[in-house]
Amino acid sequence: MSSTTNYILGVYDDEDEVLHAVSEVKSKGIKIEDVFTPFPIHGLDRAVGHERTRLPIAAFMFGVLGLTCALSLISYTMVFDWPMIIGGKDFFALPNWIPVTFEGTVLFTAFGLVITFCISNNLYPGNQPDLLDLRITDDKFVMAINVDKNKKVSADDIKKALKDSGAIEVNVK
Amino acid sequence: MSHVVSPIREKLVTGGKSYSDVTHDICKQVEGEPTKEWKWAFGISSIVFIYGAYCLFYTWWQGIGVWGLNKTVGWAWDITNFVWWVGIGHAGTLISAVLLLFRQKWRTSINRSAEAMTIFAVLCAASFILAHMGRPWLAHWALPLPNAFGSLWVNFNSPLVWDVFAISTYLSVSLLFWYMGLVPDLASIRDRATTKGRKFWYGLFSLGWTGSSKTWARYEYMSLILAGISTPLVLSVHTIVSMDFATSVIPGWHTTIFPPYFVAGAIFSGFAMVQTLLLITRVVFKLEDYITIEHIEMMNIVITVTGSVVGIAYLTEFFIAWYSGVEYESYAFINRATGPYWWAYWMMMTCNVISPQLFWSKAIRTNLMVSFFLSIVVNVGMWFERFVIIVTSLHRDYLPSSWAMFSPTMYDIGDYIFSFGLFFTLFFLFAKYLPVVNMAEVKSVMKGVSSNFPEKKKATKKTEE
Amino acid sequence: MAGHSHFSPANVEEHFEFTSEGKKRVIYAFIAGVVALVLGIYLLSKGEAGGHEVANAGHEAVKAGHEAASEHLSGGAVSHQPAAEEHYDWTNRIWANVWLNAVFFTGIAIIGMFFVSLQYLTKSGWSSVMKRVPEAFPKFLYITLPILLLVFFFKGDAIFHWMHHGVTEVGNENYDKIIAGKSGYLNKTFFLVRLVGFFALWIGLWTVLRKKSLEEDLIGGTDLFTQLVRISTAFIVVFGASSSMFAWDWVMSIDTHWFSTMFGWYMFSSWHVTGLAVITLTILLLKDKGYMAYVNENHLHDLGKLMFAFSIFWTYVWFEQFLLIYYANMPEEIIYFLERWEGHNKIYKTSEILMVFLNFFFPFLVLMTRDAKRTRIFLKIAAFFIIVGHYIDFYQMIMPGVLGGHAGYGLVEFGMVTVFASAFIYIVSDELTKASLIAKNHPFLPEAVHHDI
């Protein structure tokens, strides 16, 4: 969100109102950039029109990777590199390896998932975002409309649409 | 989640709070100067920590011979304390993960501090593993690194190695889960910051959070998946801890019910510890509107249920020891109840099985003082449970000439004190510098569960129209 | 949300009609089952059971077990005398099948009660819209109780090693010291007291719960709800306390020498996930007929999650019981798995592998994604195979101890399952007609109707 972009912001103070407002504003042919909220609102991402995230697929892939790594390491060390008879079991004592394999799978899934999440949302330590409104993390719900991407609708119409949909303030940034 | 909530449900947030009130009430103690009570509490726990650290240092300097172990009882307080702390360290992830999956809204007010407690408890448990090692500077030998003596690897068939993986995975994943839960709240503090230092530090750790709906949607998915994998993880941890004992062939240790029964015991003691800490926190930080009697009651119900499950497991073990017809098993259990350590056994039975049954009475489970007292009783009982399992199973060797008793030395006790010092020092630091209640989550469920939720503005606007 | 605002309790009432067409179909299935069963029995009597029976399984069957087991090593608790080994009678296979199905379907029936009670106890809102379905299941206990009793009275010794003549009698040629040691618990009277006692408590509590639940439809209000919570709590306590005991009695004591503290919770987990699968399948079939419109994909998603989670839970319990026994490798314990893995000419090995596949890998992979849990056909497939998988699980628990090397999958097995399943469908359908499919005055119903995840 560089400062050169021109935004019109509708500020709301209720989660249900903002959810209705999204479809109302959209129905007037206005493209919404994003909505910023203090907490997750169920169905808001669908209303705004974001695609469903593919994070679960990433998590699954990391899980498979973790499983493979853990099993490979264990079988390499226990069967090929330095086989030892433990408790009278075969070298390839699969049941005994399930616990560590499971932990490895979980570890890879969790870290892979969170790292993917951070990268895909541009979250990293030291990131200082250009915040549209400081009250977003407190109690206000802010709908951001990029004027440059809404050439067909005049700025005044956008402001009016926001006001009509229940915004308590309309700001320009 | 829809806001349609049946009117017969108890309210989870009281006092007619608005979203902004939530932010203010929770951030207050992070932003304010440390209170006198906090300074005292922190000071005392630091002193305990320093004394304990001395004991631990001495243990390492001299070797673990300073403990009261003998040839027969070669494992006693060290592993008892380890299991006890790991058990306590189960509630946080359970509250945030399992209760999230079960959509229990009451979890939102307590998950943050429960998770923090979890992490600190697991650190305490880990300190006993290090204490065990005698030579903690060689701790990395427990990891699968090819070492200096050729490519000799750790033994992946050993439950102790499973434990290393389970504890380290659990610690790191819990930390991750907890931290990701903190990010939106850290952003709240960042955006309210009035000093440069606070803006910098909370800004650094909030990773540039903006609260966009796209991020939130992904964030919810991430939380659900983390919860989904943390649930089997939390079960696996105590399962693997129990396998340290149950894979062996020691009478009293080798029994197949150990894993789920240890897990139930862990939830039991973990909830009791959360209860103890929350009952203090809610008063000290004036959070009575967020951690209500309803929360306390829910926790007490969980304590009763898990306590009863543990009780059934005790009886099952006892019964099957007789039913199996294996005389060593039968002896081990009869010796627990009537042998020289009978007092430990009955302490465990009273504290763990009988005392939680008092919570069947609504008057008792909603009484703060009794809840506080019983939450401590439960953890005393759970400590004795581990002591009973470990010491009474070992102290009667197969050879009667080797029969022995165990008595702790001041270093056994000192190392235990160390863990308390560590735990409370970390907990007080957390309580001062981080929001103790998950603000974003509380706000997200407030409609419907909050009494006198302020909706005036909306109403007036409607009349205008 | 606005779309649902016209919701009011009055317009949700709907009655299931068990049409004569439907009845006919269930009865035909029952008759087909009986025919298969009779044919199977006829073949059995001729010594051609069909299926995978290995003819000469006989005495060498548990050879591996015998070798591993040696009495002086283990304080004398070695199991090496599966009931079937001597005096094998071909009719035993019929009784083993009756017992297997009676226990399996008792489980499904009582899990209906367990599910409803748990929802009350945890004050769950989402499930209130479908609670009438599991609530009808326990009716089938009226069928399984007499069957269990009759088999126990007349053919108990075919099933339970501890009921063999003279096993507890000192000096008798069948005398078995270990079994004699257990006779304080495993004896006919005490066994019967427990069996009848558990059923009496279950049926009693269910009858009260059902009555109050139907009253709620007429009266409404929160008083009845509070009472229902109390009854549910009582049931959970009773069920929790008895959960290990009935598993020891009805299943674990078949392998009389063998013991595992875990067994009760293991059998419960198998029952539980089967029950969930049957609930899901019933709801889906009702929806196919146009009933239960208020149960939408959100509720199905939750049922899918439960089947997924409890399949994993079953795996956890099964695996850790196995792992501990495998790891310690004590003769008196490991024989149980040796018998199922390499004993009896390996006739149980395929089932064992198939069972783990159907009960873990299959639901795990099929139900992992969100879309699968919200799609009816995936849920149906998963639920169906979970039920089949857990039937095999019970087969593995019961058959080796009763029949040893003489077990197999043939017409008898197929016929018996069909008979029990069609009876179950008939009884439950009939019970479903007795009340509205939606408990219209349930205080959490508005929550359930607006359920959105």
Side-chain angles (χ1 to χ4, degrees), chain A residues 67-121:
Chain A
L67 183 98
T68 318
C69 288
L71 267 185
S72 317
L73 175 71
I74 301 172
S75 38
Y76 169 70
T77 55
M78 296 282 102
V79 181
F80 300 105
D81 196 40
W82 197 292
M84 275 191 291
I85 296 173
I86 309 285
K89 305 287 189 283
D90 294 341
F91 295 138
F92 193 86
L94 189 61
N96 290 348
W97 302 347
I98 303 284
V100 175
T101 309
F102 170 78
E103 303 298 334
T105 311
V106 169
L107 191 69
F108 273 64
T109 314
F111 276 86
L113 173 66
V114 170
I115 291 167
T116 314
F117 168 78
C118 288
I119 291 172
S120 66
N121 290 297

Side-chain angles (χ1 to χ4, degrees), chain B residues 54-64 66 134 136-137:
Chain B
Y54 158 76
C55 291
L56 189 64
F57 180 75
Y58 188 83
T59 310
W60 281 336
W61 189 257
Q62 292 292 327
I64 51 175
V66 298
W137 50 93

Side-chain angles (χ1 to χ4, degrees), chain B residues 319 322-326, chain C residues 71 75-84 86 156-157 159-170 172-188 194 252-259 401:
Chain B
F319 172 78
W322 167 79
Y323 177 91
S324 70
V326 180
Chain C
E71 205 155 318
V78 177
S79 156
H80 56 161
Q81 199 73 304
E86 280 134 44
D157 57 342
I159 299 194
F160 297 108
H161 185 191
W162 57 269
M163 283 177 76
H164 284 200
H165 177 71
V167 283
T168 58
E169 195 181 310
V170 186
N172 190 301
E173 57 162 346
N174 286 335
Y175 178 69
D176 185 317
K177 194 173 141 227
I178 299 158
I179 297 181
K182 305 183 188 205
S183 60
Y185 181 78
L186 292 178
N187 59 66
K188 274 189 182 177
R194 289 192 301 266
M252 193 172 91
S253 80
I254 290 173
D255 295 284
T256 311
H257 285 228
W258 188 74
F259 55 88

Side-chain angles (χ1 to χ4, degrees), chain C residues 41-79:
Chain C
I41 293 172
Y42 173 73
L43 290 175
L44 262 189
S45 68
K46 295 277 174 198
E48 304 161 30
H52 313 291
E53 186 185 340
V54 181
N56 61 348
H59 287 275
E60 56 197 312
V62 277
K63 216 167 133 200
H66 279 267
E67 280 163 12
S70 82
E71 205 155 318
H72 64 274
L73 274 176
S74 55
V78 177
S79 156

